[in-house]
Amino acid sequence: MEDTGTILVINPLDDIDKLKALASETRIQILSLIRQKKLNINEIAEKLGLPQSTVATHIAILEDAELIVTESLKARRGTQKLCSPSFQEILVQFPELNKVEKNYVEIEMPIGIFTDCQVSAPCGLCSTERIIGFLDIPDVFLNPERIKAGLLWCGSGSIEYKFPNNSMYDPKEISKLEVSMELSSETPGTNSNWPSDITVWINRKEIGTWTSPGDYGDKRGKFTPAWWKLEGSQYGLLKCFSVTKDGSFVDGTKISDMTLNDLELSEHHSIRVRVGVKSDAKNLGGMNIFGKGFGNYDQGIILRTYY
């Protein structure tokens, strides 16, 4: 049990007597009445329409559980017992399990806060409310409204994001760098069988390519707003690109021999993450990046540094 002034926090594992005292509709009604004003047993009995002896029994239980306090005052005949609550609020809360200390630092970047872009049509951006600027005009990616983007797409090209390099200020050794994002191919309309080779670079080092199976529009994305037509890309696949001392991986499958040492993290104040489709890709099928408010995963681009 924890007493925080006028609030009582009950640990149900330790304070079972208090829980039993509260397990009565009548006793709950009594506590509710005396929160507003101190009352004696006769007054409580009258308000609840119960015999005085019944109320006296409930008062004794609440008093034994230290949920109310009573004081005896002189009355016309003998004394009267005034009742008031020990606490204004009562919370039942299980104790927290021992927390496992996280062994990583996580940074989430909205998909519209990119620091560089080179895209070709078809291309565009939209927020959760509307299309941003004009469609199929690469210069629209310079529109300040881009910071609100929840979905962006291009036929080819790339988008770069700059994350702070927290590892420069932490003496612990990095074991893995991980980037997760929701991606799909891009084609006018949608086509679930439309492969596209999507490549990721970190600090301008190519860590590998993942082939997206298609551009999905068979059903509305879990977070995709209703105004966005079903003919448009609805959701993607959540892909996790990682780099360790043993190489680079996507969802645990090795895609290249690029290692953490190759990224030279200690020499850069930022970590640059670039994602795109090369103009000479074998499967030149465009790219959608889904952010908050679109797709099946309500997230931006997440960078995790594991120690």
Side-chain angles (χ1 to χ4, degrees):
M1 179 182 69
E2 179 183 351
D3 180 355
T4 57
T6 61
I7 300 176
L8 172 67
V9 180
I10 294 177
N11 176 353
L13 301 180
D14 296 333
D15 303 319
I16 191 67
D17 290 342
K18 286 182 169 51
L19 284 181
K20 288 180 178 179
L22 292 169
S24 162
E25 183 178 354
T26 299
R27 292 194 284 275
I28 294 297
Q29 290 174 333
I30 291 172
L31 287 172
S32 179
L33 283 174
I34 62 177
R35 283 181 71 245
Q36 305 166 35
K37 178 185 177 182
K38 292 182 180 180
L39 298 173
N40 61 37
I41 292 178
N42 288 337
E43 291 170 328
I44 296 172
E46 182 180 347
K47 288 181 179 295
L48 295 181
L50 294 173
Q52 180 181 343
S53 59
T54 300
V55 171
T57 300
H58 286 297
I59 291 294
I61 293 172
L62 291 170
E63 194 171 12
D64 288 343
E66 300 179 346
L67 294 176
I68 68 170
V69 292
T70 60
E71 53 183 316
S72 296
L73 298 177
K74 288 184 178 181
R76 290 180 180 179
R77 296 180 181 178
T79 61
Q80 63 174 338
K81 182 180 282 190
L82 282 181
C83 307
S84 61
S86 300
F87 307 93
Q88 288 300 309
E89 293 184 52
I90 299 174
L91 303 177
V92 178
Q93 179 175 297
F94 283 91
E96 290 189 21
L97 298 176
N98 293 331
K99 292 184 178 179
V100 178
E101 184 178 355
K102 291 196 305 183
N103 66 333
Y104 62 86
V105 174
E106 178 179 294
I107 304 172
E108 182 174 359
M109 187 72 67
I111 67 168
I113 305 183
F114 46 82
T115 53
D116 187 37
C117 66
Q118 299 171 9
V119 299
S120 64
C123 59
L125 310 94
C126 61
S127 70
T128 56
E129 299 174 347
R130 61 182 180 276
I131 292 173
I132 297 172
F134 301 98
L135 296 179
D136 300 332
I137 306 295
D139 285 348
V140 79
F141 280 69
L142 302 176
N143 189 320
E145 291 288 303
R146 65 186 172 86
I147 65 173
K148 300 178 182 179
L151 172 65
L152 63 81
W153 64 93
C154 63
S156 65
S158 62
I159 308 290
E160 185 174 271
Y161 300 87
K162 187 181 289 188
F163 292 81
N165 185 3
N166 293 317
S167 66
M168 292 193 68
Y169 313 103
D170 197 316
K172 296 191 292 292
E173 182 181 0
I174 297 176
S175 61
K176 180 170 65 172
L177 200 66
E178 181 181 276
V179 180
S180 69
M181 61 190 100
E182 186 175 354
L183 301 168
S184 78
S185 310
E186 160 59 23
T187 183
T190 60
N191 188 338
S192 60
N193 184 22
W194 187 262
S196 185
D197 296 335
I198 299 177
T199 300
V200 170
W201 297 259
I202 296 180
N203 284 353
R204 298 180 178 174
K205 303 291 180 67
E206 183 177 327
I207 69 166
T209 297
W210 165 71
T211 300
S212 168
D215 183 4
Y216 301 104
D218 55 307
K219 57 184 177 182
R220 186 169 298 282
K222 181 177 179 181
F223 296 99
T224 301
W227 70 267
W228 182 249
K229 294 181 179 180
L230 279 172
E231 291 80 5
S233 305
Q234 292 295 316
Y235 63 91
L237 302 176
L238 187 65
K239 307 311 294 181
C240 181
F241 297 84
S242 60
V243 185
T244 71
K245 61 181 179 62
D246 298 318
S248 295
F249 305 80
V250 59
D251 297 338
T253 300
K254 193 169 185 178
I255 52 176
S256 81
D257 292 323
M258 187 66 63
T259 68
L260 282 171
N261 287 335
D262 296 324
L263 300 183
E264 301 174 336
L265 294 175
S266 62
E267 300 179 19
H268 300 275
H269 287 277
S270 62
I271 298 176
R272 297 186 176 190
V273 176
R274 181 175 286 269
V275 54
V277 178
K278 299 177 183 179
S279 58
D280 61 351
K282 178 181 177 181
N283 296 295
L284 187 58
M287 173 180 71
N288 278 286
I289 302 179
F290 297 82
K292 278 188 172 296
F294 271 85
N296 284 344
Y297 302 89
D298 198 28
Q299 68 166 67
I301 296 178
I302 295 177
L303 173 73
R304 293 189 183 98
T305 305
Y306 288 82
Y307 296 94

